[in-house]
Amino acid sequence: MSAPGSMRVVALVPAAGSGRRLGAGVPKALVPVLGESLLVRAVRGLLNSGMIHHVVVAAPPEAPEEVRAELNPLGPVARVVPGGSDRTESVRLALAEAERVVPDAGAVLVHDAARAFTPVPVIQDVIRAVEGGARAVVPVLPVADTVKQVDSSQRVTATVDRSHLRTVQTPQGFAVDTLRAAYDNAGDAATDDAGLVEQAGETVTTVPGHAHALKITTAFDLAIAETVLAAEPVPEDDLP
Ligand code: CTP
Ligand code: MG
């Protein structure tokens, strides 16, 4: 896939989780939604940005061949490596493969297969921010609910000012050397990649996220995604 930007961009897709909370009986990335798996939808969204040279997918360690077959129709641009026992390890393995396959990449995205419905413009905004010089970029949403702080006996101790709070989505974008340095210094398990970059003392910037970039965690989330897809087809350009 060709890309117009000056920087070569690779995307890592952690897809090695089992999907225990979804409980579909197959790895979550392979669960179909209206006939197409979360993984195919997530990878196609990345490719449809028109800005990504290569995708490396971390597959469930027991199912790399199944994942390869699943991605075959998308062409030779996606590579598959067996993932690890937690997300951090899966990203680490995919990053190593990406560095091997595209050694001159300047930017790297990390995008959960579970956020399969992320609109293409969000992906493009993240890449443009890295191309514009940001070292680390995350898509975010304001917090809709009132947020309370509680003590160990669940009594409310404060109402948190949410005007400065954001929830974080993927893809997260990085200068490759920034993500590499963060992973070199990382401990065992981190919940998000930008958190590792923060720990390393680098600035993390934000772009607007989108409700459709929700993480599919439970059967409820899957039902929402199916309903949104069926009822509200997004414009052709925005389709993952
Ligand atoms: N992931 C991964 N390797 C792991 C665990 C998770 O690549 N060892 C990926 C998942 O496939 C998913 C993303 O990280 O795309 C976010 O994880 P999560 O939503 O927690 O997915 P699962 O771990 O599969 O779900 P659960 O925690 O319910 O088992
Ligand atoms: Mg998990």
Side-chain angles (χ1 to χ4, degrees):
M1 171 137 222
S2 68
S6 51
M7 224 177 230
R8 281 169 77 80
V9 183
V10 290
L12 317 180
V13 179
S18 61
R20 189 182 44 81
R21 287 168 289 181
L22 187 60
V26 292
K28 184 163 69 180
L30 297 176
V31 170
V33 182
L34 301 185
E36 265 189 330
S37 67
L38 293 175
L39 180 62
V40 164
R41 288 175 178 277
V43 172
R44 207 185 38 230
L46 290 165
L47 297 178
N48 281 356
S49 72
M51 300 171 83
I52 289 173
H53 293 82
H54 223 93
V55 178
V56 180
V57 174
E62 73 284 3
E65 286 312 326
E66 211 174 330
V67 166
R68 273 189 198 106
E70 182 75 11
L71 292 172
N72 223 15
L74 297 182
V77 79
R79 292 187 74 83
V80 176
V81 296
S85 57
D86 58 36
R87 185 185 180 282
T88 307
E89 195 52 29
S90 293
V91 173
R92 199 188 286 282
L93 291 163
L95 178 60
E97 177 71 359
E99 288 171 324
R100 205 177 63 72
V101 180
V102 192
D104 60 342
V108 56
L109 301 197
V110 187
H111 187 38
D112 288 335
R115 295 191 190 268
F117 306 100
T118 304
V120 166
V122 173
I123 298 166
Q124 292 170 329
D125 283 353
V126 170
I127 296 172
R128 283 196 198 101
V130 179
E131 287 183 338
R135 309 296 298 172
V137 186
V138 296
V140 297
L141 288 178
V143 175
D145 292 325
T146 295
V147 178
K148 302 282 188 196
Q149 188 178 302
V150 296
D151 63 17
S152 53
S153 47
Q154 301 305 308
R155 259 190 295 253
V156 172
T157 54
T159 300
V160 179
D161 172 11
R162 65 185 175 177
S163 63
H164 293 285
L165 297 181
R166 301 289 182 268
T167 58
V168 177
Q169 303 180 322
T170 73
Q172 301 189 353
F174 306 91
V176 170
D177 51 349
T178 296
L179 190 65
R180 166 45 62 204
Y183 267 84
D184 282 347
N185 298 324
D188 279 348
T191 57
D192 87 323
D193 310 291
L196 295 176
V197 171
E198 280 166 62
Q199 282 168 29
E202 287 252 38
T203 302
V204 178
T205 58
T206 65
V207 296
H210 194 286
H212 291 183
L214 82 165
K215 183 158 78 75
I216 305 298
T217 304
T218 63
F220 179 77
D221 303 328
L222 203 56
I224 288 178
E226 275 171 0
T227 307
V228 169
L229 275 189
E232 193 188 298
V234 288
E236 189 76 349
D237 283 354
D238 292 4
L239 270 179

